[in-house]
């Protein structure tokens, strides 16, 4: 099991705007921030579920973005959505925030019968997915 993933991004402000909008329907937000002054180099933002005490990961970042660097290689990152409606909302919010369509919401039965996902490229061209594994 992965504890966290970190990405370097070219424009931290553009990526934060994208991820803030795309993650809102999934219940994910910035839960921790480290300034360039604090880190001694670049700004970091950690995303995770709200600190509401419902699970052990609540309030702890598991997805980080760091500003000021070029991206390295292609990447695909998938985030679990509780419902298919949340996948749809993620997709709409991500596109409205400047993301690029990389696969509209829908069932992908070649993965499994209830695999409902949507794919969007972030401002640096990374493939970001929201997926619901529950039946309709």
């Amino acid at each position: 099991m992965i504890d966290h993933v970190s990405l370097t991004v070219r424009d931290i402000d553009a990526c934060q705007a994208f991820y803030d909008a795309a993650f809102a329907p999934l219940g994910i937000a910035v839960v921790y921030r480290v300034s360039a002054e604090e880190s001694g180099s670049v700004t970091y933002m950690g995303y995770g579920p709200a600190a509401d005490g419902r699970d052990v990961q609540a309030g702890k970042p598991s997805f980080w973005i760091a500003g000021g660097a070029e991206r390295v290689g292609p990447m695909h990152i998938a985030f679990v959505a509780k419902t298919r409606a949340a996948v749809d909302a993620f997709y709409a919010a991500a596109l409205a925030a400047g993301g690029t369509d990389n696969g509209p919401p829908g069932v992908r039965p070649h993965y499994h019968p209830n695999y409902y996902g949507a794919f969007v490229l972030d401002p640096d061209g990374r493939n970001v997915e929201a997926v619901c594994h529950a039946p309709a």
Side-chain angles (χ1 to χ4, degrees):
M1 189 60 146
I2 296 172
D3 181 63
H4 69 274
V5 172
S6 299
L7 305 180
T8 55
V9 298
R10 292 177 285 194
D11 183 338
I12 189 116
D13 294 329
C15 283
Q16 181 185 6
F18 170 82
Y19 284 111
D20 285 355
F23 286 165
L26 304 178
I28 299 170
V30 173
V31 295
Y32 198 80
R33 186 180 319 257
V34 179
S35 70
E37 294 77 27
E38 291 170 317
S39 75
S41 59
V42 298
T43 298
Y44 293 88
M45 285 182 225
Y47 287 85
D52 60 10
R54 285 183 281 178
D55 72 45
V56 69
Q57 193 60 25
K60 298 176 182 79
S62 56
F63 178 78
W64 290 84
I65 60 174
E70 292 295 319
R71 81 177 185 101
V72 177
M75 181 177 282
H76 175 198
I77 306 163
F79 295 88
V80 174
K82 293 181 182 175
T83 65
R84 292 178 178 201
V87 172
D88 296 343
F90 155 85
Y91 180 78
L95 292 180
T100 303
D101 170 52
N102 199 33
V107 176
R108 269 61 178 194
H110 51 285
Y111 296 135
H112 67 71
N114 294 317
Y115 195 106
Y116 187 87
F119 304 84
V120 179
L121 300 179
D122 78 0
D124 280 337
R126 291 182 183 97
N127 189 23
V128 182
E129 174 187 3
V131 59
C132 176
H133 297 285

